[in-house]
Coordinates of all heavy atoms in Angstrom, one line a residue:
E17 N 23.0 -66.7 -77.5 CA 21.7 -67.2 -78.1 C 20.8 -67.8 -77.0 O 19.5 -67.6 -77.0 CB 22.0 -68.2 -79.2 CG 22.6 -67.7 -80.4 CD 23.2 -68.7 -81.3 OE1 23.1 -69.9 -81.1 OE2 23.6 -68.4 -82.5
T18 N 21.4 -68.6 -76.1 CA 20.6 -69.2 -75.0 C 20.1 -68.1 -74.1 O 18.9 -68.1 -73.7 CB 21.4 -70.2 -74.3 OG1 22.0 -71.2 -75.2 CG2 20.7 -70.9 -73.2
R19 N 21.0 -67.1 -73.7 CA 20.5 -66.0 -72.9 C 19.3 -65.3 -73.5 O 18.3 -65.0 -72.9 CB 21.7 -65.0 -72.7 CG 21.3 -63.8 -71.9 CD 22.3 -62.7 -72.2 NE 22.3 -62.3 -73.6 CZ 23.3 -62.0 -74.3 NH1 24.6 -61.8 -73.7 NH2 23.2 -61.6 -75.6
D20 N 19.4 -65.0 -74.8 CA 18.4 -64.2 -75.5 C 17.1 -65.0 -75.5 O 15.9 -64.5 -75.3 CB 18.8 -63.8 -76.9 CG 19.9 -62.9 -76.9 OD1 20.2 -62.2 -75.8 OD2 20.6 -62.7 -78.0
L21 N 17.2 -66.3 -75.8 CA 16.0 -67.2 -75.8 C 15.3 -67.2 -74.5 O 14.1 -67.0 -74.4 CB 16.4 -68.5 -76.3 CG 15.2 -69.6 -76.4 CD1 14.3 -69.2 -77.5 CD2 15.9 -71.0 -76.6
L22 N 16.0 -67.4 -73.5 CA 15.4 -67.5 -72.1 C 15.0 -66.3 -71.6 O 14.0 -66.1 -70.9 CB 16.5 -68.2 -71.2 CG 16.8 -69.7 -71.4 CD1 18.0 -70.2 -70.5 CD2 15.5 -70.5 -71.3
A23 N 15.7 -65.2 -71.9 CA 15.3 -63.8 -71.4 C 14.1 -63.4 -72.0 O 13.2 -62.6 -71.5 CB 16.4 -62.8 -71.7
A24 N 13.8 -63.8 -73.3 CA 12.5 -63.4 -73.9 C 11.4 -64.1 -73.2 O 10.2 -63.6 -73.2 CB 12.6 -63.9 -75.4
A25 N 11.5 -65.3 -72.7 CA 10.5 -66.1 -71.9 C 10.4 -65.7 -70.5 O 9.3 -65.8 -69.9 CB 10.7 -67.5 -72.1
F26 N 11.6 -65.2 -70.0 CA 11.6 -64.9 -68.5 C 12.2 -63.5 -68.3 O 13.4 -63.4 -67.8 CB 12.3 -66.0 -67.8 CG 11.8 -67.4 -68.0 CD1 12.3 -68.2 -68.9 CD2 10.7 -67.8 -67.1 CE1 11.7 -69.5 -69.0 CE2 10.2 -69.1 -67.2 CZ 10.7 -69.9 -68.2
P27 N 11.6 -62.4 -68.7 CA 12.3 -61.1 -68.7 C 12.8 -60.7 -67.3 O 12.1 -61.0 -66.3 CB 11.2 -60.2 -69.2 CG 10.2 -61.1 -69.8 CD 10.2 -62.4 -69.2
G28 N 14.0 -60.2 -67.3 CA 14.6 -59.7 -66.1 C 15.1 -60.8 -65.1 O 15.6 -60.4 -64.0
R29 N 15.0 -62.0 -65.5 CA 15.5 -63.0 -64.6 C 16.6 -63.9 -65.1 O 17.0 -65.0 -64.6 CB 14.3 -64.0 -64.3 CG 13.3 -63.3 -63.5 CD 12.0 -64.1 -63.4 NE 12.2 -65.5 -63.1 CZ 11.3 -66.5 -63.3 NH1 10.3 -66.3 -64.0 NH2 11.7 -67.7 -63.0
V30 N 17.3 -63.5 -66.2 CA 18.4 -64.2 -66.9 C 19.6 -63.3 -67.0 O 19.5 -62.2 -67.6 CB 18.0 -64.8 -68.2 CG1 19.1 -65.7 -68.8 CG2 16.6 -65.6 -68.0
W31 N 20.8 -63.8 -66.7 CA 22.0 -63.1 -66.8 C 23.0 -64.1 -67.4 O 22.9 -65.3 -67.2 CB 22.5 -62.5 -65.6 CG 23.6 -61.5 -65.7 CD1 25.0 -61.7 -65.2 CD2 23.7 -60.2 -66.3 NE1 25.7 -60.6 -65.5 CE2 24.9 -59.7 -66.1 CE3 22.7 -59.4 -67.0 CZ2 25.3 -58.5 -66.7 CZ3 23.1 -58.3 -67.5 CH2 24.4 -57.8 -67.3
A32 N 24.0 -63.6 -68.1 CA 25.0 -64.6 -68.7 C 26.4 -64.0 -68.5 O 26.7 -62.8 -68.7 CB 24.7 -64.8 -70.1
V33 N 27.3 -64.9 -68.1 CA 28.7 -64.5 -68.0 C 29.6 -65.5 -68.7 O 29.5 -66.8 -68.4 CB 29.2 -64.4 -66.6 CG1 30.6 -64.1 -66.4 CG2 28.3 -63.5 -65.8
P34 N 30.4 -65.2 -69.7 CA 31.3 -66.2 -70.3 C 32.2 -66.9 -69.3 O 32.8 -66.2 -68.5 CB 32.1 -65.5 -71.5 CG 31.2 -64.3 -71.7 CD 30.5 -64.0 -70.4
C35 N 32.3 -68.2 -69.3 CA 33.2 -68.8 -68.3 C 33.7 -70.1 -68.9 O 33.0 -71.1 -69.2 CB 32.4 -69.2 -67.1 SG 33.3 -69.9 -65.9
D36 N 35.0 -70.2 -68.9 CA 35.7 -71.5 -69.2 C 36.2 -72.1 -67.8 O 36.9 -71.4 -67.0 CB 37.0 -71.2 -70.0 CG 37.9 -72.3 -70.3 OD1 37.6 -73.4 -69.6 OD2 38.8 -72.3 -71.0
V37 N 35.6 -73.2 -67.4 CA 35.8 -73.7 -66.1 C 37.2 -74.1 -65.8 O 37.6 -74.5 -64.7 CB 34.8 -74.9 -65.7 CG1 33.4 -74.4 -65.8 CG2 35.0 -76.0 -66.6
T38 N 38.1 -74.2 -66.8 CA 39.5 -74.5 -66.7 C 40.3 -73.3 -66.3 O 41.5 -73.4 -66.0 CB 40.1 -75.2 -67.9 OG1 40.2 -74.2 -69.0 CG2 39.3 -76.4 -68.4
D39 N 39.7 -72.1 -66.3 CA 40.4 -70.9 -66.0 C 39.9 -70.3 -64.6 O 38.7 -69.9 -64.5 CB 40.0 -69.9 -67.2 CG 40.7 -68.5 -67.0 OD1 41.1 -68.2 -65.9 OD2 40.7 -67.8 -68.1
E40 N 40.7 -70.3 -63.7 CA 40.3 -69.9 -62.3 C 39.8 -68.4 -62.3 O 38.8 -68.1 -61.6 CB 41.5 -70.0 -61.4 CG 41.2 -69.4 -60.0 CD 40.2 -70.1 -59.2 OE1 39.7 -71.3 -59.5 OE2 39.6 -69.5 -58.2
A41 N 40.4 -67.6 -63.1 CA 39.9 -66.2 -63.2 C 38.5 -66.1 -63.7 O 37.7 -65.3 -63.2 CB 40.9 -65.3 -63.9
A42 N 38.3 -66.9 -64.7 CA 37.0 -66.9 -65.3 C 35.9 -67.4 -64.4 O 34.7 -66.9 -64.4 CB 37.0 -67.7 -66.6
V43 N 36.2 -68.4 -63.6 CA 35.3 -68.9 -62.6 C 35.0 -67.9 -61.6 O 33.9 -67.7 -61.1 CB 35.9 -70.2 -61.9 CG1 35.1 -70.6 -60.7 CG2 36.0 -71.3 -62.9
R44 N 36.0 -67.1 -61.1 CA 35.8 -66.0 -60.1 C 34.9 -65.0 -60.8 O 34.0 -64.4 -60.0 CB 37.1 -65.4 -59.7 CG 37.9 -66.3 -58.7 CD 39.0 -65.5 -58.1 NE 39.9 -64.9 -58.9 CZ 41.1 -65.5 -59.3 NH1 41.4 -66.7 -58.9 NH2 41.9 -64.8 -60.1
R45 N 35.1 -64.7 -62.1 CA 34.2 -63.7 -62.7 C 32.8 -64.2 -62.8 O 31.8 -63.3 -62.7 CB 34.7 -63.4 -64.1 CG 36.0 -62.5 -64.2 CD 36.2 -62.0 -65.5 NE 36.5 -63.0 -66.5 CZ 37.8 -63.5 -66.7 NH1 38.8 -63.0 -66.0 NH2 38.0 -64.5 -67.6
L46 N 32.5 -65.4 -63.0 CA 31.2 -66.0 -63.0 C 30.5 -65.8 -61.7 O 29.4 -65.3 -61.6 CB 31.2 -67.4 -63.5 CG 29.9 -68.3 -63.4 CD1 28.9 -67.6 -64.4 CD2 30.1 -69.7 -63.7

């Protein structure tokens, strides 16, 4: 929802990656 809201206001400048900061693999993916 946040990505879509911001991307509508700033097209082409917003990307999102799910990330749980307690998960080292997820941090690397981010």
Side-chain angles (χ1 to χ4, degrees):
E17 291 170 351
T18 303
R19 177 203 59 215
D20 293 346
L21 180 66
L22 292 176
F26 304 94
R29 291 168 50 203
V30 183
W31 189 247
V33 179
C35 180
D36 176 352
V37 299
T38 69
D39 182 342
E40 173 62 22
V43 169
R44 288 197 300 268
R45 284 193 296 271
L46 173 63

